[in-house]
Structures are given as C-alpha cells and as structure tokens.
Amino acid sequence: LKCRSYFWLFLILDLCYFRHYRPLQRSKRRWVLTTLELQEEDPGPFPKLVGELFNNMSNNMSLMYLISGPGVDEFPEIGLFSIEDNESGKIYVHRPIDRETTPSFMVHIDAMDRSAGKLVDESLIFHIKISDVNDHAPQFPEEEFNLTVKETHPAGQPIFQMLTVDLDQENTPNSQVLYFLVSQTPSLKESGFRIDLMSGEIRLSGCLDYETAPRYTLLIRARDCGEPALSATAAVHISVEEGNTHMPTFPQDRYKIQLSEGQVYQGVLHFPVQDHDSPFTSAWRAEFSILYGNEEGHFDVVTDPETNQGILSVVKCLDYETQAAHSLVISVENQEPLFSCEEGQLQPSRQALASATVSVLVVDINDPPTFHRGSFIVSKEDGARPGIQLGAFSATDPDGAADQIRYKLVHDPANWVTVDENSGVVTTRRQIDRESPHVNDSFYTIIVQAVDNGLPPRTGTGTLLLFLSDINDNAPALRSHSRYLEVCESARSQPLLLEAEDADLEPYAEPFSFELDTSWGDVADTWTLGARQDEGRSAELLMLRSLPPGNYFIPVVIGDRQGFSQKQVVHVRICSCPGGLKCEEHMHTGLLWWALSPVCAALMTLAAALLSLLRCYFELGLRRHRSFTPSDNGHQTLIVYKHESKAQVVFYRPIESNMCELLHVSFHNVDVWKGDADHLPRVYSEEGECEGTETLSSLTFSEQELFKELLECWGPRAAPAEAPSSVSGVAS
C-alpha cells in the first residue's frame, strides 16, 4: 500500500460541538489517538484497522468506547466504520472508499464508565480524510464535434477550445489535463491545425483553401498527469466555408445601346459576370458601380438576385440637345472583400476591379415647347375694361425656332381674355369682376398651351395667375335670412335682427350704416333702427307702435364705409302664434300666393303690354277709316285688385294707371325674388274679415304726374337716372 502518512494533532477547545450541553470549564484533554489518512479504493483485506482510541481515564475505571456519525450510523455510507472491541477502542473500515463520492468523514467518539453507565469525558469529533488516487480519466462532453470555419479565418487565431472534466481531486496532478493533436485528415503543409497544450484551444496554422480541402477531421487526446496517467480522445470535424478568393469578371468589356430622349427606362441592358466562388454566397454575390459618365445621375445599375447579372436603367430622362452620347464605365466586385494567401498569411487583394464600358447613343425626338416662366402673376384692378394687355407667354422649342410655336387658350372659365396665337399676348375681352365665382381668393387662373409643329405635335403648359385688387363696386345688401322676417303678435316689442354683407374687401365693406327710407309712407312713425355691437355688420329693427297682423314692407338704406349704399326692402310678417313661438302652419293659400306672386306679376305685366299693343292697333285702324275725336276722359277699365271672402276693392282708372300699378307690383316682386332665390314663400294676405283695413287712397295719383310716377314705380330699371324704388310701409 502506497500512501502518504500524516500525523494529525487535534486541539479540542471548550467551544467545540458536544453531543450533550455541559457547563463550560477549562480541563486538560485526556484523549490520545493516532490519526491516519485512508486511501481511496484501498483493496483491503477488510475489515482493516484504521486506528486505536485511548483515554487516560481508563487507568481508574473500565471504559467502553462508542462511535457514531456519518459512515457509522448515518449517511452517506452506513456501516463503513466500526469499533471491534469496545474496550480496546480499535476502529476498523469494512470496504473500499470512493473519494469522489465522500472525500472525508466526521465521526463522534464517546467514553463511558462501564459500571456506572455514564459518559466520563467530552465527546471527541475527529476527521477521517480520504486521500485521492488517479482513478478517473479526463472526459470530453462529446465524442465528436462539428465546426464551421471561414476560409478567410486568420492564421494563429483560436477556432475552438476543447474542454474536459476530471473527477479526481482538484489542483493535483490527477486532475491536471494536457491536450494533444493526434492526427489531421487531410494532412496538408499549407493548411494545418495545432492545439494549445494547456488551454486546449485549436488554432489555424497557414491559410485554408476551400477548393483544396473543404473538410478536415482532427483527433484530439486529453491526458492527465496522475500515476499512472489516464487519457481520452475526441474527433473534431471542421467544415470550411468558402471565402472570396476569386474576382468577378465581365465576359466582354464593351457594350453599345441606343435610347430615345425624354423617357425613363427599366432594364435597358443586362450584363452577366463570371465568378468561381460558391453561388449565392457573399463571396459570389456581385455589386455594380458606375465609376465614370453618370455625373448628372441619369443612370442606375443594380444586381439581379437570381442571376447575379447587372441591370442598367435610365432613371432621369436623357436630352439629345444637351448631350447626344454617354460613355459609362461600370465596375463589379463581391459583397465580401477579395483576399489572397501570401506566405501562410491572408492579405487583402491588390488586384484592380473588373470593369466594362457602356456606350449610350441618344436618339432625338420631338421635344415639347418649354415656357420661360411656367407660371407668373399679373395684378390688375377689379373691373378692368376690355382691351387691356395682361401679359405675354413666352415659350421656346428645343428642337427648332420659336416661330414654329402657336399659343392656345385652354382654361378661361369666365371667358374674360383672349391669347394671340403667334405672340402669346393675353388681352381682356370683357370687363373683369373680382366677385365672380371663378375667382378664388382674388386670383383668377388662365392656362395657355404652347404647341409646336412636330409630328405628332407636342405641347407645353403655362399658367397666368391674375390677381384682382378690389374696388368699391358693390353696395352692401341684406342677407337672405334678414329680408323676410316673422314675428308673433305677442312678441312685437322684440327687436328684429338685420344682417348685411358686402362682396367687396376692406376698406370697402363694413362697418355698415343702416337708415330707414322715410321719403315714402309713414315708415318713420312705425319703425326705428338700433345699432349692434358687432363691428357694424348688423342692426336691430324695432316696432314703434302696435300693428295688426299682416305683411309689412320697410325700406332700409345700407351703406359701406366709403358711403356706397343701396335701398333694401325688409318684409315683415306679423302673425298669430297659437303655440307662442311660431306662426301657425295652416295658411297655405298665403304661402302659395307669396311663391307665385312673381310669376303672376310677370303674366299681368305681359297682359297689360298686349292690351296696350291692341289699343294702339285699333287706334291706328280707326284713324285710317274715320277721323279721331280727342277725349279727356280716356278709356275706363274695370280691374279687380283684390278678391277675398268678404271684401272687394274695385278701381276705375285710366289704363295708364292700371299699367303703372301692375308694373309696379311686377317689378317690385321680381326685384325681391331675384335677390333671394332660395327663400321659402311668405304669406302676403290672409282670408277672413277685413276689419280695420288701412285705406288705399294714398296710392292714387294725377294724370299730370303720370310719366314721372310711372318711372318711379318701375324703379331703376326704367328711370333715366338712379332713382330709389318706392316701397310701402303699410300692410298689404
């Protein structure tokens, strides 16, 4: 038996662990024993003496020794140790011990007085150590390893580290492992591998060559330093991933194509490349560049991912007149840098990139005319008269002289201008109105095309933006909802809102002035106007005295900031409101009359005109057959002015008076309806009793004032000079 013997001196202090707690007291240790290391895997024979216990109290009494703890009556190994004779204190081991399973044992020894059956001394705890022997070889985690290494892996750099596990005692020769490269297949001088003796790192010595050896197998041995030494082996399979060792090349160095100007093209030329590296790898994939000839950015070249070909495209239109030919120098390289092996070391390739020349001839085609200014702005005052030159379009033809261009007006929605076919001069043909619906934010758009004489003809487009500065050419007017108002009898004291608007801009618009036209009727005695705090855009109409239900017409003069004004008529209906807030809805007859009154008035006017013509015709006929007898009485005609349920008003007048009355009603209603086409019909009259009806005598006039009154009742449509139209301020 070969082992190392050590003498262990145990100094047990009073603070050691006891099986039973006892009062602390300092005493001289009376235990004496010799301790030896046990060697693992001791072949025996068994039982084998480990050591002998002795306590000096055995001189005075008969002692019995007891042993307990792990290895005796506790795990991990029960029955491993025992005392053969309680009197002698000899400890025996009964079988071999595996140090890797239990490296040591802590056992308890007690001494007992045989006669008294009492412990006579403190328990002794001692350590049985198992010494290691080299009984475990190094172990690899796998028997075979599969690695992939790039062909461009630098020499001397680690590829993989072999690791093993040795279960023998750490930091001893039994567990220290050394690594050896047993064999390499194939064995090449240029491409070799080596392994670090201590760390187990596999390194490359030299350059790999995929074409020469795409796969290697290494046999690695791991051996410990124990006696005797134990070892294990593992196989390492290394696959070489191809790197870029071959430069791509063009099969031909010159290409020639023809392209028409003025267009973009996709894939005008495909040129293949040759590469001996593995397909669809970064060492094979081509990347193309245009080295020279594309300073203006007309061309682009990309790689077809399937065929690895270069695809040339035109991304910016070519111009024959600017450059009739292009010479492109196109180079190709791989995605992965090219390298070479020199004296066992990788070096970047110094070889020039492969290139090819592409000659592009540009074919001339008919180019469209080009405007010197694609768009321009001209400013004119609103209301500009016909015959004013707004500006001139100027275009040139890249293919020929300017006299080959003709100008054509293509957008003039209001039909305001003309354009000279040869000079491109734009001239107004009618008065311009800034308030036209075709004017957007004071701008009116005019579009003209320039057409050349090519086959087929080509066109260019130019735009003139006409800015119209405003003038005060529009008087303020009532908004549609302020022209026809309804008020319940119970709310006669409530003000009515009158809102006005002006199509002009500042400073020709608000603040507005509102005044009653008191020149006709008793308007001033019945109505009044009050201002509102809203920047002068509205006023309040107030009733001064109580009026019966009916329809009332109030003339109002509205002026802008500059004093430009016009007369407007406010139609107010006073009605009964059974619900308290809204006029009753059963007055369909009045609504129908309101809606049809303009049409009826027009028909009445036409009938009156026909009667006048007939009168003239008969008078002329009578003059031919007999002499004419003048008369001051005139022809009397019966006209039913109003026919209701219980009231009739009949007038006997001269036909001129009837025509005036009819034309007054007609033009008055037409004027009202024209300004508010979307307004719902209103009730002009109601059926029922006529009690309290105002007199109509104020409508009479004398024959001496016939012509003047006739013109006034027709209003500004017939008056030779501007004359305000008269409206009634009483119920109709």
Side-chain angles (χ1 to χ4, degrees):
L1 179 64
K2 193 174 183 182
C3 63
R4 299 176 184 177
S5 300
Y6 297 91
F7 176 79
W8 293 89
L9 178 62
F10 288 84
L11 298 177
I12 306 301
L13 302 178
D14 292 335
L15 297 178
C16 291
Y17 292 98
F18 302 141
R19 182 173 297 273
H20 304 284
Y21 291 103
R22 297 172 182 163
L24 295 176
Q25 83 180 43
R26 185 176 298 276
S27 62
K28 184 178 180 180
R29 172 58 60 194
R30 294 180 292 273
W31 283 103
V32 178
L33 75 159
T34 301
T35 305
L36 297 176
E37 271 190 355
L38 298 181
Q39 187 176 24
E40 72 167 328
E41 303 298 341
D42 189 339
F46 299 101
K48 187 173 183 178
L49 180 65
V50 175
E52 184 176 359
L53 300 175
F54 177 77
N55 190 292
N56 59 3
M57 294 185 67
S58 60
N59 298 327
N60 302 325
M61 63 186 71
S62 176
L63 297 179
M64 181 176 63
Y65 296 98
L66 304 176
I67 185 171
S68 63
V72 181
D73 54 0
E74 297 179 10
F75 288 101
E77 296 188 46
I78 298 175
L80 181 62
F81 300 102
S82 66
I83 294 180
E84 182 185 31
D85 185 353
N86 292 340
E87 294 182 1
S88 63
K90 293 180 180 179
I91 300 175
Y92 291 87
V93 62
H94 294 270
R95 55 183 178 269
I97 302 174
D98 184 4
R99 191 204 66 84
E100 285 71 37
T101 301
T102 309
S104 63
F105 296 87
M106 301 291 293
V107 297
H108 297 258
I109 305 296
D110 290 293
M112 179 179 289
D113 185 353
R114 286 179 178 271
S115 60
K118 296 181 180 179
L119 295 177
V120 297
D121 204 345
E122 298 173 353
S123 296
L124 174 65
I125 301 175
F126 69 95
H127 182 225
I128 300 177
K129 184 178 180 182
I130 311 302
S131 62
D132 184 41
V133 295
N134 191 22
D135 58 345
H136 291 86
Q139 297 178 3
F140 288 102
E142 302 286 343
E143 293 183 357
E144 294 186 357
F145 299 86
N146 293 288
L147 310 177
T148 299
V149 180
K150 284 185 173 293
E151 187 179 11
T152 56
H153 193 88
Q157 295 297 320
I159 295 175
F160 185 71
Q161 184 177 16
M162 304 296 292
L163 296 176
T164 58
V165 176
D166 195 314
L167 299 179
D168 292 320
Q169 186 175 358
E170 295 180 0
N171 302 320
T172 65
N174 294 340
S175 60
Q176 184 179 0
V177 180
L178 302 178
Y179 299 90
F180 304 91
L181 176 60
V182 179
S183 64
Q184 170 186 319
T185 305
S187 179
L188 302 174
K189 294 181 180 180
E190 302 83 5
S191 303
F193 298 87
R194 60 184 177 86
I195 189 168
D196 187 271
L197 182 67
M198 302 297 295
S199 65
E201 288 183 341
I202 300 176
R203 302 174 184 267
L204 177 65
S205 59
C207 301
L208 296 175
D209 186 357
Y210 176 83
E211 284 76 16
T212 302
R215 183 178 174 88
Y216 294 86
T217 298
L218 308 179
L219 185 61
I220 305 298
R221 174 176 293 165
R223 189 188 68 189
D224 62 24
C225 298
E227 295 181 5
L230 302 177
S231 64
T233 58
V236 180
H237 305 288
I238 301 176
S239 297
V240 180
E241 181 180 323
E242 185 177 16
N244 189 16
T245 57
H246 300 87
M247 183 179 69
T249 58
F250 291 99
Q252 62 185 80
D253 56 0
R254 289 191 174 274
Y255 299 86
K256 187 176 182 180
I257 57 175
Q258 288 186 348
L259 299 173
S260 298
E261 67 171 335
Q263 300 183 44
V264 295
Y265 299 90
Q266 295 293 328
V268 296
L269 180 63
H270 292 243
F271 31 84
V273 292
Q274 297 173 346
D275 196 316
H276 296 292
D277 293 314
S278 297
F280 304 103
T281 64
S282 59
W284 173 84
R285 188 74 65 189
E287 291 185 341
F288 299 88
S289 302
I290 303 177
L291 297 181
Y292 309 104
N294 193 34
E295 290 74 18
E296 300 299 325
H298 291 283
F299 303 92
D300 185 36
V301 59
V302 296
T303 304
D304 187 318
E306 297 297 330
T307 65
N308 211 34
Q309 293 181 343
I311 303 176
L312 181 66
S313 301
V314 178
V315 295
K316 182 180 178 182
C317 294
L318 302 174
D319 184 14
Y320 175 84
E321 287 72 27
T322 302
Q323 188 173 353
H326 299 262
S327 180
L328 308 177
V329 178
I330 299 177
S331 66
V332 62
E333 59 183 334
N334 296 123
Q335 291 180 350
E336 184 178 320
L338 184 68
F339 74 94
S340 60
C341 184
E342 298 178 7
E343 298 180 355
Q345 295 292 327
L346 294 176
Q347 300 292 337
S349 177
R350 301 181 181 90
Q351 191 174 0
L353 299 178
S355 62
T357 301
V358 180
S359 298
V360 181
L361 300 180
V362 183
V363 179
D364 188 23
I365 62 173
N366 184 23
D367 294 311
T370 303
F371 283 87
H372 295 165
R373 292 183 299 170
S375 63
F376 60 100
I377 299 176
V378 174
S379 179
K380 292 295 179 182
E381 191 177 68
D382 183 19
R385 300 295 178 180
I388 298 177
Q389 289 190 3
L390 301 180
F393 287 93
S394 178
T396 58
D397 190 349
D399 301 314
D403 58 2
Q404 298 177 345
I405 296 177
R406 298 293 179 264
Y407 297 92
K408 179 181 178 182
L409 183 63
V410 296
H411 183 74
D412 177 24
N415 199 23
W416 283 347
V417 300
T418 61
V419 61
D420 187 88
E421 182 182 24
N422 298 316
S423 65
V425 175
V426 181
T427 307
T428 59
R429 64 187 300 176
R430 60 179 60 185
Q431 185 174 356
I432 295 174
D433 182 14
R434 193 194 66 83
E435 285 73 33
S436 169
H438 302 291
V439 177
N440 186 15
D441 292 334
S442 300
F443 280 96
Y444 180 73
T445 302
I446 301 169
I447 300 177
V448 170
Q449 285 185 345
V451 186
D452 64 13
N453 62 347
L455 294 175
R458 300 293 301 276
T459 62
T461 302
T463 303
L464 187 155
L465 296 175
L466 178 59
F467 178 78
L468 299 176
S469 58
D470 194 21
I471 62 174
N472 197 10
D473 58 344
N474 292 278
L478 288 172
R479 292 182 178 270
S480 59
H481 63 268
S482 295
R483 296 183 182 182
Y484 305 94
L485 304 174
E486 289 184 348
V487 59
C488 296
E489 290 182 273
S490 59
R492 298 181 201 185
S493 61
Q494 297 295 325
L496 302 177
L497 178 62
L498 302 182
E499 290 185 313
E501 59 185 354
D502 196 324
D504 296 322
L505 301 176
E506 291 290 342
Y508 307 118
E510 64 267 8
F512 302 134
S513 62
F514 296 82
E515 296 180 359
L516 290 175
D517 183 6
T518 60
S519 63
W520 187 79
D522 56 352
V523 174
D525 298 334
T526 309
W527 307 92
T528 186
L529 289 174
R532 285 174 56 88
Q533 300 297 325
D534 60 350
E535 300 181 0
R537 290 189 294 268
S538 64
E540 292 180 343
L541 180 64
L542 296 171
M543 193 183 306
L544 296 178
R545 59 188 178 89
S546 178
L547 296 176
N551 297 305
Y552 297 86
F553 307 91
I554 300 93
V556 179
V557 178
I558 308 175
D560 60 19
R561 182 186 298 182
Q562 308 300 328
F564 187 23
S565 63
Q566 69 173 340
K567 183 187 296 183
Q568 299 278 281
V569 177
V570 181
H571 300 249
V572 178
R573 178 192 173 198
I574 301 177
C575 58
S576 60
C577 301
L581 297 176
K582 189 175 181 182
C583 293
E584 52 188 350
E585 300 293 336
H586 67 277
M587 309 268 188
H588 301 298
T589 304
L591 290 173
L592 181 61
W593 169 252
W594 182 282
L596 297 179
S597 59
V599 180
C600 296
L603 293 176
M604 293 174 67
T605 303
L606 179 61
L610 291 176
L611 290 175
S612 299
L613 292 176
L614 289 174
R615 177 189 178 191
C616 294
Y617 172 78
F618 285 115
E619 287 181 353
L620 290 176
L622 291 174
R623 287 178 182 178
R624 292 179 182 178
H625 294 83
R626 65 175 182 267
S627 61
F628 174 72
T629 303
S631 174
D632 295 334
N633 297 329
H635 297 277
Q636 301 295 324
T637 305
L638 177 64
I639 298 177
V640 179
Y641 181 75
K642 187 173 183 181
H643 188 188
E644 297 183 349
S645 61
K646 294 184 180 181
Q648 295 185 0
V649 181
V650 182
F651 297 88
Y652 294 90
R653 291 180 183 177
I655 191 169
E656 291 84 2
S657 301
N658 298 334
M659 290 178 62
C660 177
E661 181 69 20
L662 291 174
L663 293 178
H664 171 76
V665 175
S666 173
F667 280 104
H668 171 70
N669 287 319
V670 171
D671 176 58
V672 171
W673 198 260
K674 178 181 178 181
D676 189 21
D678 59 345
H679 188 75
L680 294 176
R682 299 292 179 177
V683 177
Y684 275 86
S685 62
E686 300 179 3
E687 297 181 351
E689 298 293 336
C690 294
E691 298 177 359
T693 303
E694 297 286 341
T695 178
L696 301 177
S697 60
S698 61
L699 297 177
T700 61
F701 49 85
S702 63
E703 293 185 2
Q704 289 78 7
E705 298 177 346
L706 175 61
F707 182 75
K708 177 181 178 182
E709 294 297 330
L710 182 61
L711 293 181
E712 288 183 355
C713 75
W714 284 2
R717 292 173 176 78
E722 182 177 355
S725 59
S726 300
V727 292
S728 175
V730 299
S732 60

